[in-house]
Each structure stands twice: as C-alpha cells, then as structure tokens.
C-alpha cells in the first residue's frame, strides 16, 4: 500500500520551485508565466509555497523505501513544505513513524498519522538546466548542508503543480531529461557500487500556492 510521505531531506537551493494556486503570473502576451528558461522558472517560483501530502508522497523518496528504517535518513513523512525566498528553498517536513522496524535496516510500515519532530533544511545552491518546452522537463540539483539531490522536474499544464523526481547524488543514473520525462522507467539505482533498475516511485508531487 502506497504511503503518504516524502523525504524532508530533499530540496536544495534550486532555482525552480513553486507556482500558485491563484491565477498564473502574467509573464507573457497570453497571460501565462514563461517557464522555458531557468531564470523564468526561478522568477515564477519566488515567494511561492509548495506542499506535498497524502498520495502525492512517493513510496521511495530519494530512491529509498519509506518503509525501511534508515535512522536519521528515513524517508517516511506526513507532510513536506517548501518555501522559495531569495532563490533559496526552505524545506520543512514532518516525519511519520515506521512501525514494526525499531532497529536500523529493518523493514516495517510507514505510518504518516504518527508524526514525529519536524525537520528543516535550507538550500545553499540550486541549478536548473536543459529546460524543455514550457517547463515540461528540466534537470535540477539541490545542494544542502551535508547532502545533494539531483534529478528532473516538470510543471503541470496549468502551472499549479510541480513534480520532482530526486535522488541523492551518486545514487542513480538515468534520472535526467535526456533519458526521459519525470517518472519514466529510465532510472538505474546505484547501491554499493552495483547498478540495477529502479522499481519504486520517487516522484514527489507538490501543490503550488502563493502570490
């Protein structure tokens, strides 16, 4: 059964997050934002809030099952919120509880309804490259103190959602737009130096709100 949380440890200073639940910003002649460049994406996301809860949280945030106890790096969450300000992404997450797995390395069941202490991270560097069409796909990298996430992203047609398929740096190959769109079966996960097809879902889906 699909869990409902996303990794709180996954967002960096990416120049690219957020879109509003209100009407899109007028950045073009047809009253739609320009998401065809990294700067356009940054401008659009500035001041926005992105929220992920429930079924929008993948089963394998950052490529790792939410049901496995990875200690401080466990990927079971109740809610993840990203706020974009000054080009930086602040990630506030509420972890859930992995039941039936008290020891690191054990597999249990992620229960998002049993929240733990909130976690907060702020990106230091964000890069957006290889933007196609109007934000239909772009390569992204988030750098946080102590870790880095890389992958690909995509905006919905109405610019009200942002999907991010992220993996910890060095943990996967084929997670870029040259290989395929967000969620494509192009990813190989690298574990202990061995590459194998990634069989989970790492696509985080955020609802965008704000001015």
């Amino acid at each position: 059964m699909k869990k409902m949380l996303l990794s709180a440890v996954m967002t960096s200073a990416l120049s690219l997050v957020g879109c509003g639940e209100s009407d899109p910003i007028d950045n073009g002649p047809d009253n739609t934002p320009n998401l065809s460049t990294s700067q356009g994406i940054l401008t659009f996301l500035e001041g926005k809030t992105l929220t992920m809860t429930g079924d929008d949280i993948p089963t394998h945030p950052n490529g790792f099952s939410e049901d496995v106890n990875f200690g401080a790096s466990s990927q079971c969450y109740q809610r993840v919120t990203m706020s974009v300000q000054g080009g930086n992404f602040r990630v506030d997450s509420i972890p859930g509880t992995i039941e039936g797995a008290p020891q690191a390395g054990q597999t249990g069941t992620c229960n998002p309804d049993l929240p733990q202490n909130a976690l907060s991270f702020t990106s230091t560097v964000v890069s957006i490259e290889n933007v196609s069409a109007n934000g239909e796909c772009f390569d992204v990298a988030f750098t946080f103190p102590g870790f880095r996430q890389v992958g690909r992203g995509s905006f919905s047609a109405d610019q009200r959602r942002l999907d991010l398929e992220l993996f910890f740096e060095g943990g996967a190959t084929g997670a870029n737009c040259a290989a395929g769109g967000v969620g494509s079966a192009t990813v190989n996960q690298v574990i202990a130096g061995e590459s194998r097809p990634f069989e989970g879902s790492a696509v985080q889906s955020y609802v965008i709100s704000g001015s």
Side-chain angles (χ1 to χ4, degrees):
M1 174 172 148
K2 181 177 179 180
K3 309 303 178 305
M4 311 179 227
L5 263 26
L6 199 294
S7 117
V9 64
M10 6 178 77
T11 346
S12 26
L14 175 59
S15 320
L16 124 306
V17 170
C19 167
E21 288 187 353
S22 55
D23 292 337
I25 297 174
D26 181 6
N27 286 332
D30 57 351
N31 197 42
T32 58
N34 175 13
L35 302 179
S36 61
T37 67
S38 58
Q39 186 56 56
I41 291 174
L42 273 175
T43 299
F44 178 62
L45 294 176
E46 181 67 18
K48 299 291 195 304
T49 297
L50 298 88
T51 304
M52 179 175 62
T53 59
D55 289 339
D56 287 337
I57 298 173
T59 58
H60 289 66
N62 291 310
F64 294 97
S65 173
E66 62 184 353
D67 291 329
V68 177
N69 183 344
F70 291 109
S73 297
S74 295
Q75 301 298 299
C76 175
Y77 293 90
Q78 180 183 86
R79 182 186 187 91
V80 177
T81 301
M82 295 193 289
S83 305
V84 186
Q85 199 70 41
N88 287 317
F89 289 73
R90 171 174 169 146
V91 183
D92 293 296
S93 62
I94 301 176
T97 297
I98 301 176
E99 298 181 306
Q103 303 298 321
Q106 293 182 330
T107 299
T109 301
C110 173
N111 185 347
D113 295 325
L114 290 178
Q116 299 192 47
N117 293 334
L119 302 174
S120 181
F121 301 89
T122 300
S123 64
T124 57
V125 177
V126 173
S127 83
I128 302 174
E129 301 178 318
N130 304 319
V131 183
S132 65
N134 193 36
E136 291 181 4
C137 194
F138 48 85
D139 296 332
V140 301
F142 298 90
T143 301
F144 292 92
F147 67 95
R148 192 166 187 258
Q149 295 170 306
V150 297
R152 52 196 175 190
S154 177
F155 285 98
S156 62
D158 61 5
Q159 294 92 40
R160 297 182 188 280
R161 279 183 173 269
L162 173 64
D163 289 340
L164 293 173
E165 185 176 18
L166 301 172
F167 297 85
F168 290 123
E169 185 175 36
T173 61
N176 55 13
C177 294
V182 173
S184 298
T186 62
V187 179
N188 282 338
Q189 192 168 26
V190 180
I191 300 177
E194 181 180 346
S195 180
R196 65 189 69 174
F198 176 61
E199 298 179 349
S201 172
V203 180
Q204 310 170 38
S205 186
Y206 291 87
V207 174
I208 305 164
S209 62
S211 56

